[in-house]
Amino acid sequence: MRITCPICGTRDRREFYYQGAAEALHRPDPEAGEDAWDAYLHLRDNPAGRTQDLWYHEAGCGCWLVVDRDTVTHEIYGATLVEARHAD
Amino acid sequence: MRFSGLRVLREGLTGNKGWVPHWRDPEPKSEYDIVIIGGGGHGLATAYYLAREHGLTNIAVLEKGYLGGGNVGRNTTIVRANYFLPGNSEFYSHSLKLWEGLEHELNYNVMHSQRGLINLFHSDGQRDAFARRGNAMINQGDDAILLDREGVREHLPYLNFDSGRFPIHGGLYHPRGGTARHDAVAWGYARGADSRGVDLIQNCEVTGIDTEGGRVTGVQTTRGAIKAKKVGIVVAGRSGQVAAMAGMRLPIESHVLQAFVTEGLKPCIDHVVSFGMGHFYISQSDKGGLVFGGDLDMYASYAQRGNLPLTEHVMEAAMTLMPMIGKAKVRRSWGGIMDMTPDGSPIIDRTGIEGLYIDCGWCYGGFKAVPGSGFAFAHLIAQDRPHDSAARFRLDRFRDGVGLMDEEGTGAQHNLH
Ligand SMILES: Cc1cc2nc3c(=O)[nH]c(=O)nc-3n(C[C@H](O)[C@H](O)[C@H](O)COP(=O)(O)OP(=O)(O)OC[C@H]3O[C@@H](n4cnc5c(N)ncnc54)[C@H](O)[C@@H]3O)c2cc1C
Ligand SMILES: [Zn+2]
């Protein structure tokens, strides 16, 4: 499995640390209540198929990436910087 | 049909013409009292104990493929009761006791072999942690012996005791730990359930869960709609998808775990050996293959195969621990889909929907749990209250943070177990 980092180019999976569903980017308001926080921290769609998750380019540029990939085939469609998403 | 040595002898002498299929292949009825979704180890054991312990037999087990084609037939078959935390401790202790009577009870040879399990340690700190775990096991009524380096050497002379990074200081020995023949466990429970009247329906994928006014009323399947008063979800790696049919999101992320087997060798590894610091464990199957594995690939996956970096990592750990393994040829590797919870411990509970129950979150350790989980899930479904051995496996423990069972002490967060 190889991931194309927008900064470093195509790199081996070993350079990246997997964090989990990209849902982690949508942090609820501190006062949002137990249900919202439970959903954010623990509950997952856990899709079999196309998904977006967070990877950290630990042995490369040190950027956080949103990787668009397929959990059934392991195909990787692309990756974008978390930072770029938050800008728009 | 009862199995016995005499019967094997007679069949052998008469051309093996008297054997009959171990279970029926019935058409699904339009209605059952209880429908169990998933014909893996846990689903089959649940059906068996519903019939045996609670006298309920108007039951169907619906399996999308063939019985035992999921993780129950893909695992590395380790059976043990060496957990530390309350909740896990009593549950796995109970499960091991069920294992110990299983072959007689099922009249089926599941090849349960209590060959002993040794967890290695490599530092003073780890020794303390293992001594504490051993005490917890003994308090629970199970067996544990703390071995020093020479004690380990007596059992496992072939290890490399002086590797630079992880020299072996000793091990925690659990003599009642061991292995079993995974397929036979599924088959034995299937036969036991079938003979008590449970319908085992294969090639029957559940595609929807019907509810009415907050109560479950049945399921939709690829072989038609089936009504049911109670429904149990026991689908391991597919838990998220099946729960979604009832509008639920689970605290589960599915990951792939790989395993490997070598060509058959003469007996050389008598125990189950676990080298936690290298994420490596090994045993030898009765056919002679060395069966070994490591950690998760560590990303969400539904592919029943992993990637090469983990394979390399496992092979490196193998060579570090027992250089002799370098001479063996690896024959096969495969993967299975693990239902990982945030704290690494399972769930056996009711859901927000009346009559709908769920048993999931077995992570990479659910084979040893098959008898205990079947027993506890059957109790929950039959009596609508948890069995004592599994009362702490609550679905909502993450929500309130009360009663988390984080054996590794890494935090109740996805991707840390
Ligand atoms: C490589 C590997 C090594 C392992 N090693 C060990 C070990 O040494 N010790 C240990 O204790 N555990 C181990 N495990 C874990 C253990 O195998 C699992 O936790 C356990 O088998 C899961 O429960 P099960 O047997 O019921 O699952 P499964 O056998 O996967 O059963 C679930 C069933 O549900 C069916 N299903 C799914 N969706 C549907 C649907 N919509 N409709 C109908 N049916 C459906 C599936 O087809 C499947 O047959 C290992 C797992 C793997 C992959
Ligand atoms: Zn990079």
Side-chain angles (χ1 to χ4, degrees), chain B residues 15 35 46 70 124 129-130 160 177 189 194 224 240 243 252 257 313 322 339 363 369 375 381:
Chain B
V35 158
T46 302
D124 289 348
F130 277 33
N160 173 12
Y189 275 117
D194 173 88
I252 284 188
L257 180 71
H313 180 80
M322 44 178 82
D339 35 339
C363 302
F375 194 94
I381 294 173

Side-chain angles (χ1 to χ4, degrees), chain B residues 37-43 62-66 68-79 204-207 234-238 242 245 257-259 281 334-339 362-370:
Chain B
I37 309 175
H42 292 240
L62 309 182
E63 165 55 47
K64 77 171 173 186
Y66 59 94
N71 288 332
V72 74
R74 291 176 165 261
N75 65 77
T76 45
T77 79
I78 296 167
V79 173
C204 181
E205 178 170 357
V206 171
T207 53
V234 217
V235 292
R238 293 280 166 177
V242 176
M245 295 172 192
L257 180 71
Q258 303 193 54
Y281 63 95
W334 65 94
I337 307 307
M338 317 280 69
D339 35 339
W362 293 97
C363 302
Y364 31 74
F367 178 65
K368 69 182 85 68
V370 163

Side-chain angles (χ1 to χ4, degrees), chain A residues 14 34-35 42 46 69 71, chain B residues 300-302 312 399 414:
Chain A
R14 271 172 279 211
E34 268 185 29
D35 286 344
H42 308 122
N46 197 20
R69 65 183 186 100
T71 57
Chain B
S301 171
Y302 284 88
E312 186 180 30
R399 188 178 192 278
H414 287 292

Side-chain angles (χ1 to χ4, degrees), chain A residues 5-9 11 16 57 60-63 65:
Chain A
C5 170
I7 293 180
C8 311
R11 297 296 185 91
F16 300 87
H57 197 179
C61 59
C63 284
L65 309 178

Side-chain angles (χ1 to χ4, degrees), chain B residues 49-239:
Chain B
Y49 289 114
L50 277 167
R52 215 227 59 183
E53 297 290 315
H54 306 278
L56 302 168
T57 53
N58 186 18
I59 300 172
V61 176
L62 309 182
E63 165 55 47
K64 77 171 173 186
Y66 59 94
L67 297 181
N71 288 332
V72 74
R74 291 176 165 261
N75 65 77
T76 45
T77 79
I78 296 167
V79 173
R80 57 187 165 92
N82 61 350
Y83 285 73
F84 177 65
L85 295 176
N88 285 331
S89 189
E90 62 262 32
F91 174 82
Y92 288 101
S93 180
H94 179 240
S95 196
L96 184 56
K97 289 189 190 98
L98 292 174
W99 273 106
E100 288 170 338
L102 198 59
E103 292 174 327
H104 273 105
E105 168 158 355
L106 296 176
N107 175 233
Y108 212 86
N109 183 6
V110 303
M111 296 166 78
H112 182 213
S113 154
Q114 294 184 293
R115 55 186 67 183
L117 163 77
I118 299 180
N119 286 289
L120 300 170
F121 58 78
H122 316 272
S123 67
D124 289 348
Q126 227 191 341
R127 182 200 315 267
D128 290 347
F130 277 33
R132 189 164 173 235
R133 175 176 295 265
N135 287 336
M137 290 159 66
I138 291 167
N139 280 341
Q140 182 58 48
D142 294 316
D143 59 321
I145 301 169
L146 196 67
L147 301 176
D148 62 11
R149 186 177 156 96
E150 291 316 309
V152 173
R153 208 191 287 275
E154 267 172 42
H155 288 284
L156 315 171
Y158 49 82
L159 298 184
N160 173 12
F161 282 78
D162 299 306
S163 93
R165 181 68 184 86
F166 295 118
I168 293 168
H169 286 204
L172 186 61
Y173 180 34
H174 173 37
R176 282 164 67 229
T179 60
R181 165 97 200 264
H182 47 14
D183 299 312
V185 175
W187 298 336
Y189 275 117
R191 173 170 167 268
D194 173 88
S195 70
R196 285 171 173 79
V198 172
D199 282 358
L200 307 175
I201 320 272
Q202 308 184 60
N203 295 312
C204 181
E205 178 170 357
V206 171
T207 53
I209 295 177
D210 300 329
T211 60
E212 225 177 84
R215 245 212 98 77
V216 76
T217 56
V219 294
Q220 299 292 324
T221 80
T222 49
R223 295 179 68 173
I226 300 175
K227 289 207 186 92
K229 298 188 187 74
K230 293 180 174 181
V231 174
I233 303 175
V234 217
V235 292
R238 293 280 166 177
S239 297

